[in-house]
């Protein structure tokens, strides 16, 4: 496995950058995740790119939660923060290469994750782990023209290493890739960020 530059960003720097004035993504993603869970009330939930656990407090009433990430330090932070929640299992996986090995999932949440993985690989794995009538709810980031994918903050320097591996996703291409894997787009929603960027939520359903 080639070393993912994401591994070189300490968890504390990651959180500070994502929450910084002008970025505010941590807060926006937290609210979106609360809504994703409220909209589908899943019994079995998988979170791809769980990072340091943003939004996991909203999964208290979910029967089983899988939090997946490639970064062992982020998962250690999650285990420490959510030690009291017995319904969560953290899985250290490179989703580009490792088998997912979870099944019968009602809801997959993948917020700012598909920028790091080939879309065909992602939808292949998601399609296999979802229950019939299950949903994948994906959030991608839309950057205004000529704006860097990594937003500036006083903590953003280490994130520059990610520039070569982040692939900006287009909502139409993302939806089409889902359809090519038998998933049906059911809903889209737009959220503006203070720095002019926006987050786009795309929900796709696995037919019964
Ligand atoms: C921008 S963060 C996700 C933000 C988070 N979902 C939230 O709501 O705050 C992307 C996460 O995906 C993880 N990641 C990147 N590539 C991955 C891969 N191939 N397999 C698993 N996790 C990966 C990173 O370590 C990082 O924690």
């Amino acid at each position: 496995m080639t070393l993912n530059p994401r591994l070189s960003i300490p968890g504390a720097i990651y959180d500070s950058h994502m929450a910084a004035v002008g970025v505010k993504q941590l807060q926006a993603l937290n609210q979106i995740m609360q809504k994703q869970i409220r909209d589908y009330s899943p019994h079995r939930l998988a979170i791809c790119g769980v990072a340091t656990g943003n939004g996991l407090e909203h999964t208290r009433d979910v029967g089983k939660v899988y939090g997946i990430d490639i970064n062992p330090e982020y998962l250690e932070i999650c285990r420490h923060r959510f030690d009291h929640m017995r319904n969560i299992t953290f899985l250290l996986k490179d989703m580009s290469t490792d088998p997912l090995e979870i099944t019968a999932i009602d809801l997959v949440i993948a917020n700012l994750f598909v920028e790091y993985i080939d879309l065909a690989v992602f939808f292949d794995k998601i399609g296999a782990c979802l229950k019939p009538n299950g949903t994948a709810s994906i959030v991608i980031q839309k950057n205004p023209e000529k704006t860097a994918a990594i937003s500036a903050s006083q903590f953003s320097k280490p994130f520059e290493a990610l520039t070569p591996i982040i692939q900006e996703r287009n909502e139409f291409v993302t939806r089409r890739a889902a359809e090519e894997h038998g998933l049906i787009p059911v809903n889209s929603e737009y959220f503006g960020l203070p720095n002019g960027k926006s987050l786009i939520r795309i929900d796709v359903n696995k037919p019964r």
Side-chain angles (χ1 to χ4, degrees):
M1 186 181 91
T2 49
L3 185 67
N4 188 326
R6 171 63 74 180
L7 295 175
S8 62
I9 300 174
I13 299 280
Y14 169 81
D15 279 345
S16 302
H17 170 72
M18 294 287 280
V21 181
V23 180
K24 293 256 182 198
Q25 281 180 353
L26 212 60
Q27 298 89 329
L29 289 168
N30 187 295
Q31 286 171 13
I32 292 172
M33 187 157 144
Q34 182 174 29
K35 192 159 185 291
Q36 287 166 315
I37 293 168
R38 209 189 290 139
D39 286 349
Y40 293 103
S41 306
H43 295 295
R44 287 171 60 77
L45 167 67
I47 303 166
C48 303
V50 69
T52 53
N54 185 26
L56 279 182
E57 66 275 16
H58 304 307
T59 67
R60 258 180 239 106
D61 297 330
V62 178
K64 184 71 213 171
V65 181
Y66 295 98
I68 305 158
D69 209 281
I70 194 175
N71 189 313
E73 190 218 337
Y74 293 0
L75 292 185
E76 234 0 84
I77 293 171
C78 284
R79 284 192 189 98
H80 186 72
R81 288 176 64 192
F82 295 96
D83 188 38
H84 56 288
M85 287 177 57
R86 313 311 302 174
N87 58 337
I88 310 179
T89 300
F90 295 103
L91 301 174
L92 178 64
K93 281 184 187 292
D94 179 348
M95 278 194 53
S96 296
T97 50
D98 296 337
L100 209 43
E101 291 170 330
I102 52 175
T103 53
I105 299 295
D106 299 296
L107 177 64
V108 169
I109 290 178
N111 294 346
L112 299 194
F113 177 75
V114 296
E115 285 83 353
Y116 298 95
I117 187 170
D118 180 84
L119 284 178
V121 171
F122 173 76
F123 283 119
D124 212 27
K125 288 197 167 144
I126 292 319
C129 84
L130 278 175
K131 265 183 192 163
N133 204 32
T135 304
S137 187
I138 297 154
V139 170
I140 58 172
Q141 179 177 302
K142 187 169 181 194
N143 307 310
E145 236 175 283
K146 296 190 183 143
T147 310
I150 303 293
S151 305
S153 83
Q154 65 191 113
F155 311 99
S156 56
K157 188 82 188 143
F159 285 79
E160 286 167 15
L162 296 181
T163 306
I165 61 160
I166 290 193
Q167 301 192 46
E168 280 189 59
R169 295 299 180 198
N170 169 292
E171 60 179 300
F172 304 104
V173 174
T174 305
R175 256 189 244 120
R176 198 169 57 235
E179 284 172 317
E180 282 165 7
H181 288 79
L183 302 168
I184 315 295
V186 286
N187 184 33
S188 290
E189 215 175 328
Y190 295 76
F191 306 85
L193 293 172
N195 57 8
K197 300 186 175 191
S198 43
L199 299 175
I200 305 174
R201 172 178 160 186
I202 300 167
D203 290 4
V204 297
N205 185 260
K206 178 171 172 170
R208 285 174 199 273

